[in-house]
Amino acid sequence: MKTDNEKYNESVLPNTAFINELKSKLPEFFNDNDQFDMDKFKASLQEHNVDELKDGYQLNFIGKDYARRQAGEMPSTVIVPDEEQNKGEGRNSGNLFFTGDNLEVLRHLQASYTDKVDVIYIDPPYNTGNDDFVYPDNFEYSDEKLKEMFGLDDEQVLRLKSIQGKSSHSAWLTFMYPRLALAKKLLSKKGIIFISIDDNEQANLREIIIDIFSEQNVIGTLPVINNLKGNQDQFAFAGAHEYILCCVKDISCSEFHGLRLSQKELSEWKEDNKGLYKKGASLKSTGVNAPREKRPNLYFPIYIIEGRKISLEKKENAKELLPITNGKEMSWRWSREKIENNIDDIIISQNGENFSLYKKQRPVEGNVPTKKPKSFLYKPEYSSGNGTAEVSKLFNSEKIFDYPKSTALIKDLLLIGGDDKSLVLDFFAGSATTADAVMQLNAKDGGHRKFIMVQLSEKTYHTNKDGKEVPTKSGETAYGAGFKSIDEISRERIRRAAAKIREEEGFMLPEDFDGSFKHYRVVKPTQQTLDGIDDFDLEGTALFTGMVEAFSSQALEVSGDTSGEDTILTTWLAKDGYPFDVDIKQVEFAGYPCSVVDDNRLYLIREGWGSENTENLLNKLGTHSLDVQTVVIFGYSFNVAELRELENGLKSLENTVSLIKRY
């Protein structure tokens, strides 16, 4: 027997995710047989003079169809809550940390977080060709199944499988494509994604972003100056920058904000009758920049009238203001028409008998002046050395993590792309710089940003032939400090960063500051459990004894003190679209404990259900002492007789209560 998700995945095609999205966004183009009406779609395009069906280009690479198919698959893993963390220090936290394959985590998040994430920042593995990246995903299907799924011949199957374990461009693109496709669905309408990348794949990354998000939603590829000294090992030019690719879910809904000014920059600003302006940023310009003979439209008088207003028409008792400084003719930076159209945004500054005109600056929040970010990003604090120093200082270690980004960079990206209530996702969490940045911003401005971090349990060691653990080259310091995987470093960094923030902010720290997280592990069931599922007979009378416990943290060989029932329930709640902080009520039916969620769904997972329990449940539903619309059961815990009795009993009720069986 196969699980429900496995059965679904067998029917998934390369275009399944796309077709499902089309159905949700354009249902009018599907006929009664659930087929896409291409003729109707073509007609709609032609009516608007769009010729996309004939022209254009797209990026193709070995593995693209496989990557598209992966984006449409359902998860084959379970979500194991870390009860020690979640009932301990993370009890009241709204932040989430997932340990596991980010592709699987993104699949699990689809139901409950679609259109909910405001800002995504990721720093994926770079593909330098020096073993920084190798394609990690396995082709879990047979050659014959791959041929059937993608219409391939023998040679094409070999080409597809050739990317496994490789660091080629095709391998990297196949790895990134499904993750970005799923990430797009999680973004809110105003959502923004920032992706760090180096020169090796930035051009290809832009192409798959265009393929997934459409070209109109790609904002730009921004150079980030992160090493002014330059990498002397690079050929020809000492590399001093990387890139951040910026893209939005829907450009018509997106919002970008200015960067806050430093104290030095703030000293250059003044406040006058209409607001803030920058000293020196006068509307006057030197005539050298715009000679009168070439730009006569920039030479004209402006009149100061009562109440320090301006007019372009001469009025009684008005003071004439010409673009002249110290007897030298200047020009206005704006034409008459532009001044007239923006007259409310002009600030008049008076110094004795002298008047000056300035452009009003529009602050993002409160009365704090901001500046529009440039198309390249640079601050000394953005340096890669600064990121390394931050982590080293937290861990009292020389270099516990390679190439972490600086919190200064991530904080500025969050300010540019989000607000103080943003839900922030990083599914290549690394050392958890993004989580640190979120907490720092909240501590400073009292914001309520929340983070979701995802990090693979990548080991800092390998086991040699005699069973001895040997640190990896990059993980030697971390292993020596007691960290056996990268995700352990990530979570500890969050704890230490929160402690540092509390110490530095003291009584200035907001009372509701969230410096913790709930932790979940996303893991595959054991092979023994999968074999048992294959052998399970749906029509048989025997139960799968011990199936629930097969999903406990102990049986899955992970820490966390979690029962199998909690794992199954957590996995199902995500599947059913509930957030991870949903209220769960515990109820009993004749001694059988189970869970009611959102006063709507009843989950029956444990073994031991019998006639007495069915009778008690039906009595409570019939008398309305319990009102639920759906009962969800773990099919392995119910034999045929118990299941039919429950089904028939629910059908006999006056109010309809649906039954969902899951395997």
Side-chain angles (χ1 to χ4, degrees):
M1 178 183 173
K2 296 178 179 176
T3 65
D4 298 333
N5 284 4
E6 286 176 325
K7 293 176 183 175
Y8 175 85
N9 288 344
E10 285 190 344
S11 66
V12 173
L13 298 172
N15 66 345
T16 294
F18 177 67
I19 292 296
N20 289 339
E21 189 167 4
L22 272 183
K23 287 179 184 176
S24 67
K25 301 292 176 59
L26 300 172
E28 66 272 23
F29 291 103
F30 286 81
N31 60 28
D32 293 338
N33 296 321
D34 215 25
Q35 298 295 312
F36 187 72
D37 191 335
M38 183 59 76
D39 291 335
K40 182 180 178 181
F41 184 64
K42 284 181 179 179
S44 296
L45 291 177
Q46 290 166 354
E47 287 171 5
H48 294 88
N49 297 316
V50 178
D51 205 19
E52 294 176 357
L53 299 176
K54 295 180 181 178
D55 301 317
Y57 70 96
Q58 62 180 355
L59 176 69
N60 289 313
F61 53 90
I62 299 172
K64 185 175 181 180
D65 268 1
Y66 185 78
R68 290 173 60 214
R69 187 184 189 282
Q70 283 187 307
E73 289 186 346
M74 296 180 73
S76 59
T77 52
V78 291
I79 305 173
V80 188
D82 182 344
E83 295 298 342
E84 293 175 358
Q85 171 72 18
N86 299 353
K87 293 180 179 178
E89 64 178 82
R91 181 175 63 258
N92 299 317
S93 179
N95 300 316
L96 304 176
F97 191 106
F98 292 91
T99 295
D101 178 0
N102 54 16
L103 182 58
E104 279 288 292
V105 175
L106 290 169
R107 288 169 178 157
H108 279 295
L109 295 178
Q110 292 302 303
S112 50
Y113 287 93
T114 290
D115 299 329
K116 300 286 181 63
V117 176
D118 300 303
V119 182
I120 296 175
Y121 170 77
I122 56 172
D123 184 15
Y126 294 173
N127 187 17
T128 66
N130 296 322
D131 293 330
D132 300 87
F133 167 83
V134 293
Y135 185 71
D137 297 337
N138 294 318
F139 294 101
E140 65 270 37
Y141 300 103
S142 67
D143 288 2
E144 292 304 314
K145 189 66 177 178
L146 290 172
K147 290 178 188 177
E148 177 188 336
M149 286 176 174
F150 306 114
L152 305 177
D153 57 30
D154 289 337
E155 183 179 348
Q156 290 168 326
V157 168
L158 287 175
R159 288 186 67 204
L160 172 61
K161 296 180 76 172
S162 71
I163 70 173
Q164 190 170 318
K166 298 293 195 308
S167 58
S168 64
H169 292 301
S170 289
W172 192 85
L173 291 168
T174 302
F175 172 74
M176 290 298 298
Y177 192 100
R179 290 160 171 82
L180 292 171
L182 292 172
K184 177 193 174 184
K185 295 179 183 179
L186 298 179
L187 282 173
S188 64
K189 285 187 176 181
K190 65 176 183 178
I192 298 172
I193 182 170
F194 298 101
I195 308 172
S196 284
I197 196 66
D198 70 352
D199 205 37
N200 293 287
E201 295 290 358
Q202 68 90 6
N204 288 330
L205 175 62
R206 184 182 177 90
E207 292 303 319
I208 59 172
I209 284 292
I210 289 172
D211 194 275
I212 295 168
F213 285 81
S214 83
E215 191 163 11
Q216 67 177 4
N217 291 320
V218 179
I219 304 302
T221 305
L222 312 174
V224 183
I225 312 302
N226 66 343
N227 182 8
L228 279 180
K229 293 181 179 179
N231 182 353
Q232 302 300 318
D233 293 335
Q234 288 188 207
F235 178 73
F237 299 95
H241 73 284
E242 294 180 344
Y243 301 93
I244 287 181
L245 192 146
C246 176
C247 182
V248 297
K249 176 80 166 274
D250 183 346
I251 196 166
S252 65
C253 301
S254 60
E255 299 175 2
F256 283 81
H257 309 293
L259 285 174
R260 297 172 183 174
L261 303 183
S262 67
Q263 289 300 314
K264 181 180 178 181
E265 289 172 320
L266 282 171
S267 68
E268 300 174 356
W269 289 75
K270 288 184 69 176
E271 185 172 2
D272 214 285
N273 64 316
K274 290 184 179 179
L276 294 152
Y277 67 94
K278 188 175 182 181
K279 291 182 289 185
S282 168
L283 286 185
K284 284 188 289 186
S285 177
T286 65
V288 174
N289 294 332
R292 179 187 283 270
E293 61 271 18
K294 291 187 176 181
R295 297 292 302 274
N297 63 318
L298 299 182
Y299 293 82
F300 53 88
I302 293 175
Y303 299 94
I304 307 295
I305 56 178
E306 76 283 349
R308 290 172 65 189
K309 298 178 181 178
I310 67 171
S311 171
L312 292 172
E313 303 297 329
K314 187 174 182 179
K315 297 186 177 182
E316 188 177 355
N317 299 324
K319 178 178 176 60
E320 184 179 72
L321 185 63
L322 293 168
I324 296 175
T325 299
N326 298 326
K328 184 177 180 180
E329 186 176 56
M330 314 280 279
S331 69
W332 297 117
R333 293 182 185 273
W334 289 357
S335 66
R336 288 178 64 97
E337 182 181 15
K338 187 171 182 180
I339 286 180
E340 189 171 18
N341 291 336
N342 294 275
I343 204 161
D344 290 334
D345 285 340
I346 295 175
I347 291 174
I348 306 167
S349 177
Q350 183 176 8
N351 183 11
E353 292 296 315
N354 297 317
F355 291 86
S356 295
L357 302 183
Y358 296 90
K359 178 186 175 184
K360 178 182 177 181
Q361 303 298 315
R362 298 185 179 278
V364 169
E365 55 182 83
N367 207 29
V368 179
T370 60
K371 60 181 178 182
K372 191 172 186 177
K374 291 184 170 61
S375 58
F376 70 91
L377 300 173
Y378 171 68
K379 283 182 182 179
E381 306 94 282
Y382 291 170
S383 73
S384 54
N386 191 57
T388 300
E390 285 182 305
V391 177
S392 297
K393 189 174 181 180
L394 282 174
F395 286 89
N396 300 312
S397 172
E398 289 185 7
K399 193 176 182 181
I400 201 166
F401 193 89
D402 286 335
Y403 312 118
K405 293 294 186 285
S406 73
T407 54
L409 173 62
I410 310 305
K411 284 190 292 185
D412 279 353
L413 295 178
L414 297 180
L415 290 172
I416 292 169
D419 57 35
D420 62 357
K421 296 181 178 63
S422 292
L423 178 60
V424 180
L425 168 65
D426 184 346
F427 51 90
F428 289 97
S431 67
T433 300
T434 302
D436 193 346
V438 166
M439 294 189 297
Q440 287 187 37
L441 285 177
N442 286 343
K444 288 295 184 184
D445 63 15
H448 295 87
R449 303 168 186 83
K450 300 295 180 187
F451 64 72
I452 302 175
M453 298 290 108
V454 186
Q455 177 55 44
L456 187 67
S457 184
E458 183 181 344
K459 292 182 178 179
T460 59
Y461 69 94
H462 62 267
T463 306
N464 62 19
K465 293 180 180 179
D466 62 4
K468 183 180 179 181
E469 294 180 357
V470 179
T472 61
K473 183 179 179 181
S474 60
E476 189 171 358
T477 304
Y479 183 84
F483 298 104
K484 293 194 172 184
S485 61
I486 300 299
D487 63 296
E488 291 180 16
I489 300 173
S490 307
R491 295 193 299 278
E492 183 60 21
R493 191 225 178 125
I494 296 173
R495 296 185 181 101
R496 295 189 183 207
K500 181 174 183 285
I501 290 170
R502 292 188 180 98
E503 180 182 351
E504 292 178 346
E505 295 298 320
F507 70 91
M508 296 294 290
L509 190 69
E511 289 185 9
D512 57 357
F513 172 72
D514 189 349
S516 191
F517 56 89
K518 287 184 170 63
H519 180 215
Y520 301 87
R521 292 182 172 89
V522 173
V523 299
K524 282 188 174 294
T526 64
Q527 189 59 50
Q528 182 180 356
T529 300
L530 294 175
D531 291 342
I533 290 172
D534 285 341
D535 296 336
F536 184 71
D537 182 5
L538 273 175
E539 301 301 322
T541 58
L543 295 177
F544 194 134
T545 306
M547 177 56 123
V548 174
E549 193 53 31
F551 292 96
S552 68
S553 56
Q554 182 178 3
L556 293 169
E557 298 182 346
V558 296
S559 59
D561 194 25
T562 306
S563 70
E565 185 176 359
D566 285 337
T567 295
I568 295 167
L569 180 61
T570 302
T571 306
W572 283 0
L573 291 178
K575 179 184 179 72
D576 293 337
Y578 292 109
F580 283 81
D581 59 355
V582 67
D583 184 36
I584 303 172
K585 295 179 181 177
Q586 301 301 319
V587 296
E588 285 192 2
F589 301 106
Y592 180 98
C594 47
S595 302
V596 175
V597 178
D598 206 22
D599 292 324
N600 183 25
R601 287 201 168 206
L602 173 66
Y603 291 89
L604 310 179
I605 297 173
R606 292 190 183 188
E607 299 168 8
W609 185 271
S611 298
E612 183 182 6
N613 309 111
T614 297
E615 182 181 352
N616 190 246
L617 169 61
L618 296 176
N619 180 56
K620 289 185 177 181
L621 290 172
T623 59
H624 299 289
S625 60
L626 174 71
D627 287 308
V628 294
Q629 297 179 0
T630 307
V631 176
V632 186
I633 69 165
F634 190 50
Y636 304 107
S637 295
F638 289 73
N639 65 30
V640 173
E642 294 163 352
L643 184 55
R644 287 177 180 166
E645 184 179 35
L646 178 58
E647 283 180 310
N648 292 333
L650 293 175
K651 289 177 183 178
S652 69
L653 293 172
E654 182 179 345
N655 296 326
T656 302
V657 178
S658 60
L659 178 67
I660 297 176
K661 295 165 282 185
R662 286 183 177 158
Y663 296 93

